[in-house]
Amino acid sequence: MPRGLWIPAALALAFLVLPLVALIARAPWPSVPELVAGSLPALGLSVTTGLTTTALCLLFGIPLAVVLAGSDGWPAPLRRVVRAVVTVPLVLPPVVGGIALLLLLGRQGLLGRPLEQLFGVTVPFSTPAVVLAQTFVSMPFLVLAVEGAVRATGRRFDVVAAALGASRWYAFRRVTLPLVAPGIASGAVLCFTRALGEFGATITFAGSLPGVTRTLPIAAYLGLQSDPDSAIVLALLLLAVSLIVIVSLRDRWLRGSA
Amino acid sequence: MTRAARRRAAAPASAASVLLVLLCGCSPPAGSAPAGSAPASASTATLSVFAAASLTDSFDALGRQFEEAHPGVTVVLNAAGSAELAQQILSGAPADILATASDATMATVADAGLLAAPAQVFARNSLEIAVPPGNPGQVAGLADFSKAGLLLALCAPEVPCGASAAAALTRAGVSPDPDTLEQGVTSVLTKVRLGEVDAGIVYRTDVLAAGGAVVGVPIPDAQNATTDYPIAVLAGAQHPALAEQFVALVRGSGQDALREAGFAAP
């Protein structure tokens, strides 16, 4: 490794760490317990919606990832379009994602209008809307992580399992899934932490109502406008939850690959 | 060979300088000139105006007027929620002028000692209920804001439009049942515009500015809350003299444009 790499590497590390140091340094420690108690509803909402999002992403994202991993035989244009569609939420500003969701599922939306007229269901401004917004932005993280893992393991174990008489489902459950478990775990962690930090799509599509749709990032942003101390504490809470998830899961599930 | 070696040596250094530029460029120190301006020559200058979202259209027009009267001067308008603007200035955002939609938000900047001179009220605004065309929720007044069956948007009480709305609702004796508490009046208006809520409380000027996209339901004077719009030159202003002139325009001949937009005289 060239010595010269150390300088930009150190700068990169400092750039990532120093803002967090500033956050911790500026925290109003004496009033932290009280402020944390005040933000428990937002914390609870963020954690439950984040977990629900992760579950949805696992349920629908793993199959999509497996399908994508086997897409090499598809016509090239189709493959490119599907890949672009999966990647778009990664690069799209989340606010744009929120507007798109509103235009799809809002009361005047493509699907939202029939939903309301036929079933009287309105999606925006509800906790499920928060989950949908989070799922939209975090699904690609899971899909790409799992697809990479599936591609890396290759198909030879499936072939062997089939040769030994395993059905496709059996091979998928007992061979493919365990082999890509580390990929699924890291994808799920990325997915959950991304959902936890979701702001733009949520506030656009789901709004901001305490206990219903006001997640930690939204509460932090609002707090910054009236009570910066509470915003700092909310930011610390987000940081703590993210760190707990990343550190504990890396040790437990990802020991081999870390 | 030599070229390759030089490139090898140069790459980390240039990457480091890019990062340094990024680090420094993100938040220029309060005293530094904003990019593109040349403080030394009086002929070209960029006047940075931070104004409440409800002032967007009027201040756009006033900015153009000012640019015509002062060749070489560019007025850059940063329109956003008042509380957000105040927070940006408290965090060191370089600006010449601040105009907010409430005395309270202006006070946070004044208390921090960041105003060059005390703020002066240049306009007043009152509230109005905005509903989508056709008024699908058949909203007739503030009393409808307690109906659970309607989808209703208000500003959060932490921001000026929310504080005013809360005052009006209290005056009307209504305990609201909102479905979302937005961060600014613009997002309330957007949700009404898209037809996603049945009603929202916004400023009278917002309904006018939205044209036919939303319909206004007036709030009687006895229930309505008026807000003051103060303006001030900031202590860190790059062009204090020009800023004074802009404030003079807003408080003088610019009043016509404000009146046209629906603002009341101070």
Side-chain angles (χ1 to χ4, degrees):
Chain A
M1 188 180 67
R3 290 257 174 87
L5 285 186
W6 278 101
I7 299 163
L11 279 173
L13 197 63
F15 182 63
L16 294 178
V17 169
L18 286 180
L20 304 181
V21 171
L23 189 66
I24 292 167
R26 276 291 307 275
W29 292 111
S31 47
V32 160
E34 182 196 338
L35 287 170
V36 166
S39 41
L40 284 182
L43 176 66
L45 185 68
S46 271
V47 171
T48 45
T49 53
L51 288 174
T52 315
T53 296
T54 310
L56 280 178
C57 285
L58 289 171
L59 194 61
F60 294 98
I62 294 177
L64 179 56
V66 173
V67 168
L68 275 182
S71 69
D72 288 345
W74 298 4
L78 175 69
R79 214 171 57 221
R80 282 195 202 119
V81 168
V82 173
R83 181 155 302 281
V85 167
V86 171
T87 321
V88 152
L90 281 181
V91 293
L92 206 64
V95 172
V96 176
I99 295 172
L101 283 170
L102 209 50
L103 295 180
L104 177 72
L105 291 166
R107 288 202 304 179
Q108 306 294 327
L110 274 183
L111 286 179
R113 191 197 288 261
L115 264 182
E116 195 194 17
Q117 284 168 354
L118 297 178
F119 308 105
V121 178
T122 39
V123 184
F125 314 117
S126 62
T127 308
V130 176
V131 173
L132 288 177
Q134 291 177 349
T135 305
F136 181 78
V137 295
S138 40
M139 178 91 85
F141 287 92
L142 184 98
V143 172
L144 295 181
V146 176
E147 189 202 345
V150 173
R151 281 181 185 273
T153 49
R155 301 214 47 209
R156 55 190 192 284
F157 295 105
D158 288 349
V159 173
V160 170
L164 292 172
S167 73
R168 287 183 176 199
W169 261 118
Y170 189 84
F172 176 70
R173 279 192 299 116
R174 304 299 299 268
V175 179
T176 310
L177 279 187
L179 276 173
V180 298
I184 293 176
S186 64
V189 169
L190 277 175
C191 196
F192 177 74
T193 46
R194 178 67 189 84
L196 203 63
E198 214 313 293
F199 173 77
T202 310
I203 197 163
T204 313
F205 179 53
S208 160
L209 194 67
V212 182
T213 55
R214 186 172 293 167
T215 54
L216 270 183
I218 297 177
Y221 179 66
L222 190 63
L224 197 57
Q225 314 210 344
S226 55
D227 179 9
D229 275 357
S230 82
I232 294 172
V233 169
L234 287 163
L236 278 178
L237 264 180
L238 266 176
L239 185 65
V241 175
S242 306
L243 277 179
I244 289 169
V245 170
I246 291 174
V247 169
S248 64
L249 292 193
R250 277 207 93 77
D251 281 354
R252 185 166 304 168
W253 291 348
L254 310 177
R255 192 166 287 145
S257 65
Chain B
M1 181 70 200
T2 26
R3 202 196 297 162
R6 202 184 305 140
R7 204 188 311 145
R8 262 208 308 275
S14 65
S17 64
V18 165
L19 190 54
L20 275 177
V21 167
L22 280 176
L23 280 169
C24 309
C26 290
S27 70
S32 82
S37 75
S41 75
S43 57
T44 62
T46 302
L47 198 61
S48 164
V49 179
F50 282 29
S54 40
L55 293 167
T56 310
D57 292 344
S58 347
F59 269 43
D60 252 346
L62 291 177
R64 276 195 303 274
Q65 264 186 45
F66 193 77
E67 285 173 356
E68 273 165 31
H70 299 79
V73 175
T74 313
V75 177
V76 177
L77 182 66
N78 174 16
S82 298
E84 196 180 337
L85 294 175
Q87 188 54 43
Q88 286 175 8
I89 288 170
L90 290 176
S91 308
D96 294 294
I97 291 167
L98 174 66
T100 63
S102 86
D103 292 320
T105 34
M106 185 61 88
T108 59
V109 180
D111 291 347
L114 295 177
L115 298 186
Q120 291 164 311
V121 175
F122 66 96
R124 283 181 217 284
N125 211 346
S126 52
L127 298 173
E128 196 163 303
I129 300 168
V131 299
N135 197 352
Q138 301 186 340
V139 174
L142 287 180
D144 290 314
F145 277 80
S146 60
K147 287 187 181 163
L150 293 178
L151 276 172
L152 302 161
L154 294 176
C155 287
E158 287 87 345
V159 297
C161 55
S164 302
L169 287 161
T170 310
R171 225 175 277 178
V174 176
S175 53
D177 182 29
D179 294 279
T180 178
L181 298 172
E182 299 288 325
Q183 320 272 337
V185 73
T186 333
S187 4
V188 173
L189 197 67
T190 304
K191 269 150 193 163
V192 178
R193 229 180 230 265
L194 290 172
E196 292 307 333
V197 293
D198 295 307
I201 298 183
V202 299
Y203 294 116
R204 209 166 85 80
T205 53
D206 296 316
V207 177
L208 277 174
V214 304
V215 175
V217 177
I219 300 172
D221 284 345
Q223 299 172 349
N224 212 328
T226 44
T227 35
D228 289 347
Y229 279 61
I231 190 167
V233 176
L234 294 160
Q238 285 298 300
H239 310 286
L242 276 175
E244 289 292 350
Q245 290 172 36
F246 188 84
V247 171
L249 169 73
V250 170
R251 301 187 62 223
S253 58
Q255 288 284 312
D256 291 345
L258 289 165
R259 213 68 73 245
E260 217 166 282
F263 289 98

